[in-house]
Amino acid sequence: MKRRNLILGGTALVALGACGGESKFKRYNGPQVTYVIANKGDRRMFLLHRDQVLKAYDFKLGFAPVGHKQYEGDGKTPEGLYLIDRRNPNSKFHLSLGISYPNQADRAMAASMNKKPGGDIFIHGQKKPGEKNRHDWTWGCLSVSNKDIEEIYAMVGDGTPIALNP
């Protein structure tokens, strides 16, 4: 009986191992990311621990990349200081981290134009894996490769400040 259980258990382990692929959920055991800086002009994002750069990434922006987001549908990416405030493991863009846009000032600006401020601004991956997005294409989000968002998702916690600079 023991031999039979051993054979069945070993077969089950081999079968389960074959079913696995690489998970999109990575582990990170390094220094805490205490700040994110995204410079829109040079499309470069930095993950920092205090004043030390841990990692840097290239990204794409909204299809109207110059200037601060003013209202829903303008295709611009916000500028200013926000927080990473949520995460979506089931994003249609692989994985995503939410940015706390709009803040009170953003809502007031949009209201002064009789517009909605919009929302759902994220750092996210790509809709189609391996696709080479050569141009800015989002509606205001920051898009990185799927490999990069897996690292960023693991490294950056909710509540981390993010500076979106011109």
Side-chain angles (χ1 to χ4, degrees):
M1 187 66 141
K2 282 186 174 181
R3 184 174 179 204
R4 180 175 179 252
N5 288 343
L6 188 64
I7 291 171
L8 288 174
T11 303
L13 282 174
V14 169
L16 285 174
C19 291
E22 257 194 71
S23 173
K24 65 182 177 180
F25 300 104
K26 307 299 180 199
R27 293 186 188 269
Y28 175 69
N29 295 317
Q32 178 187 11
V33 174
T34 57
Y35 205 70
V36 178
I37 297 174
N39 295 324
K40 291 171 49 177
D42 57 3
R43 310 298 194 277
R44 200 83 171 132
M45 179 185 335
F46 303 92
L47 307 186
L48 290 91
H49 173 72
R50 297 190 182 115
D51 61 352
Q52 176 191 3
V53 174
L54 299 173
K55 291 287 279 198
Y57 301 93
D58 294 325
F59 62 85
K60 301 294 184 197
L61 291 169
F63 65 84
V66 178
H68 175 61
K69 182 165 195 63
Q70 296 181 351
Y71 56 87
E72 185 174 56
D74 66 3
K76 295 182 183 211
T77 302
E79 295 174 355
L81 184 60
Y82 298 91
L83 296 174
I84 299 299
D85 65 351
R86 63 200 181 282
R87 51 192 58 237
N88 184 355
N90 300 312
S91 171
K92 64 182 177 181
F93 299 100
H94 195 57
L95 293 168
S96 60
L97 295 173
I99 297 173
S100 63
Y101 175 89
N103 60 29
Q104 190 173 5
D106 297 323
R107 285 189 287 276
M109 176 181 283
S112 74
M113 297 184 286
N114 288 328
K115 304 247 184 196
K116 294 180 181 178
D120 288 337
I121 302 297
F122 289 88
I123 301 169
H124 62 67
Q126 299 164 289
K127 194 168 190 173
K128 297 177 184 171
E131 183 176 21
K132 299 290 185 204
N133 296 99
R134 298 190 197 313
H135 307 287
D136 293 319
W137 63 276
T138 76
W139 284 87
C141 297
L142 287 78
S143 173
V144 296
S145 73
N146 286 353
K147 178 180 172 262
D148 290 349
I149 192 59
E150 289 174 1
E151 288 182 4
I152 296 165
Y153 193 91
M155 293 175 75
V156 178
D158 290 356
T160 303
I162 178 169
L164 299 167
N165 301 321

